[in-house]
Amino acid sequence: MKLGVIGLGYRMAAVLECLVKADPDIQVVACVDPSPAGAPGLSRARIGIGTMYDTPDRMLAAETLDLLLVGSPNHLHLEHVRAGLRAGVRVFTEKPVVIDENQTFELAALLREFGSDRVLVGLVLRYASLYKDLRAAQRAGHLGAIASIEATEHIAPYHGAFFMRDWRRYQRFAGPYILEKCCHDLDIYASVVGARAMTVASFGGRKSFIPENAPGHLSNAEREMYHRKPSGWMASDHVFDGDADIIDYQTALIEYANGATMAFHANLNVPDQFRRFCIVGSNGMAEGDFIRNYFRVHDARNGEKILETSYAGHEHNHYGADDQMAFDLIDHFRTGTPLPVGVLDALEAGLTAIKIDEARRTRRLVDLTESWQRFDDALGSAACRAEGGSV
């Protein structure tokens, strides 16, 4: 299987390592990246990156690829996915697929032309064991009709500092923070609810990574902590007094089309981090934490705990989901086995995040009815929508 890469950053290098582990016969035959930050890590893993090209068009014209992997900064995803589709190549793109509403509709129109099965997406939480167990409990009837969800994605200060130093600190490159970092979460909870978000409200801002909170004299341990996670393109050493325009905390309220609701909270400066949920249904409640590695289900009728599971995952590989995603992608190519998530799921989660941040910026309740109509019109048919949906 021959792969080409556009954008070889740290994340794409990690994905490639997992893919080669899943199938040692995989070859990276070509790459486009003026400064491939992930290349040294692949070299240490004895994975080559093939021929370096200066433009995607030249690579796509010269190479015969089985799969194009797009790991470029988010604002370039649409351009690079389009190039792959027009070259007749299947594309895997990292999340978020696009950064704003107009790009969402542009990509939807491309999927109408080329088919949503031509684009695969790295919404990796759908591959996590905890998520699979949650959906199994739901299918078994332990939750019943979903009424409400409380969920978080809280990251540790070292990870928050990375966002303040990385190219992701600029919304023009990454989109709003809740899109860049939390589209995973919005996707999995929408899949549990089984409906689109229809009305959203949100509040947030910056209170942690601001000049007033900068330590006067960083100890070596503090300096190591705030710079632990490396950055590549557009890297900065400034954590508290840089030029980032993203926020560092946000809350959102979502009402779905079927009446279910969710309260979601994100924060970039949580020392004892967690990524947990509590899902309450007519038959019972499920709670879990991707970082603290537990899952529990209680029955609403008698209060008994009917399921309890623990895991051994770690955040560095998305709780084991990176390896599972690589295995499933290879299996999909070999046998056609359906994947648990599609590009349409990713676009729906992304559009939800984009409208959530619009609600924050405008300080108003935002109705998504018109946005979904434009999205569906761009897709063009119910058949196209059905291809990517695994809700």
Side-chain angles (χ1 to χ4, degrees):
M1 186 172 174
K2 294 182 178 180
L3 309 183
V5 178
I6 303 176
L8 182 56
Y10 293 112
R11 173 59 189 163
M12 188 52 68
V15 171
L16 284 168
E17 285 196 59
C18 292
L19 286 169
V20 172
K21 189 192 309 181
D23 183 357
D25 291 332
I26 278 179
Q27 291 179 285
V28 182
V29 299
C31 181
V32 179
D33 193 322
S35 181
L42 289 182
S43 179
R44 289 190 295 272
R46 299 184 178 180
I47 299 171
I49 59 173
T51 304
M52 292 294 296
Y53 290 88
D54 58 355
T55 69
D57 287 342
R58 288 179 179 172
M59 178 182 73
L60 291 165
E63 301 285 351
T64 300
L65 303 175
D66 297 301
L67 182 66
L68 173 68
L69 294 105
V70 174
S72 49
N74 302 346
H75 70 296
L76 298 174
H77 285 183
L78 176 62
E79 173 187 340
H80 294 153
V81 170
R82 182 192 292 117
L85 290 174
R86 289 182 173 167
V89 182
R90 291 193 77 182
V91 179
F92 170 90
T93 179
E94 261 301 326
K95 61 79 192 168
V97 184
V98 292
I99 66 165
D100 61 35
E101 198 164 0
N102 287 334
Q103 284 194 349
T104 301
F105 304 141
E106 284 188 59
L107 184 52
L110 278 172
L111 297 176
R112 177 182 182 178
E113 179 180 356
F114 291 98
S116 59
D117 62 329
R118 304 299 298 173
V119 181
L120 313 175
V121 66
L123 278 178
V124 72
L125 281 193
R126 291 252 196 159
Y127 297 87
S129 296
L130 173 50
Y131 173 75
K132 292 180 180 180
D133 288 345
L134 168 61
R135 295 308 303 274
Q138 184 177 21
R139 287 191 299 271
H142 295 315
L143 302 182
I146 304 302
S148 59
I149 301 174
E150 179 184 276
T152 61
E153 186 183 7
H154 291 339
I155 63 175
Y158 86 88
H159 203 166
F162 161 78
F163 275 94
M164 296 298 155
R165 295 185 293 101
D166 190 60
W167 58 263
R168 295 166 176 84
R169 69 187 183 273
Y170 300 124
Q171 292 191 60
R172 65 183 183 274
F173 295 144
Y177 175 80
I178 198 166
L179 169 68
E180 154 61 27
K181 190 69 178 71
C182 306
C183 58
H184 291 299
D185 308 81
L186 297 175
D187 169 61
I188 62 173
Y189 301 124
S191 75
V192 171
V193 170
R196 288 170 165 174
M198 293 306 297
T199 311
V200 296
S202 182
F203 304 93
R206 278 262 290 281
K207 286 186 178 292
S208 294
F209 294 102
I210 55 176
E212 302 92 285
N213 293 336
H217 299 283
L218 286 176
S219 68
N220 288 338
E222 288 172 329
R223 186 173 300 280
E224 189 279 331
M225 188 269 287
Y226 286 124
H227 294 80
R228 180 191 310 171
K229 192 171 173 66
S231 178
W233 182 60
M234 297 290 292
S236 168
D237 286 333
H238 296 275
V239 175
F240 295 91
D241 58 351
D243 58 355
D245 60 19
I246 58 171
I247 60 178
D248 61 22
Y249 69 95
Q250 187 166 8
T251 58
L253 293 175
I254 301 173
E255 182 180 43
Y256 294 92
N258 60 6
T261 64
M262 179 165 74
F264 184 78
H265 181 199
N267 194 298
L268 284 69
N269 192 45
V270 180
D272 189 8
Q273 63 182 348
F274 53 94
R275 192 175 197 171
R276 69 188 179 204
F277 59 82
C278 178
I279 300 171
V280 182
S282 56
N283 294 345
M285 113 187 207
E287 55 184 325
D289 192 317
F290 288 93
I291 292 177
R292 298 180 183 180
N293 290 315
Y294 70 82
F295 177 58
R296 296 190 288 263
V297 178
H298 284 77
D299 190 289
R301 293 168 287 261
N302 55 30
E304 291 183 3
K305 185 190 297 181
I306 54 178
L307 285 173
E308 183 165 22
T309 307
S310 60
Y311 308 89
H314 191 274
E315 61 170 318
H316 81 271
N317 64 356
H318 287 101
Y319 333 106
D322 283 347
D323 284 332
Q324 187 63 52
M325 180 178 73
F327 178 87
D328 286 0
L329 285 170
I330 299 301
D331 187 47
H332 175 72
F333 271 88
R334 286 175 177 164
T335 68
T337 303
L339 294 169
V341 64
V343 65
L344 299 185
D345 302 311
L347 288 176
E348 292 194 6
L351 186 54
T352 301
I354 289 161
K355 301 305 281 188
I356 285 171
D357 208 60
E358 178 185 319
R360 178 191 67 82
R361 288 183 288 102
T362 61
R363 298 186 64 82
R364 65 183 180 86
L365 200 67
V366 172
D367 187 298
L368 278 74
T369 302
E370 182 180 348
S371 295
W372 291 131
Q373 187 61 59
R374 290 182 65 192
F375 181 67
D376 290 341
D377 289 346
L379 284 173
S381 71
C384 183
R385 292 196 295 276
E387 286 179 9
S390 50
V391 172

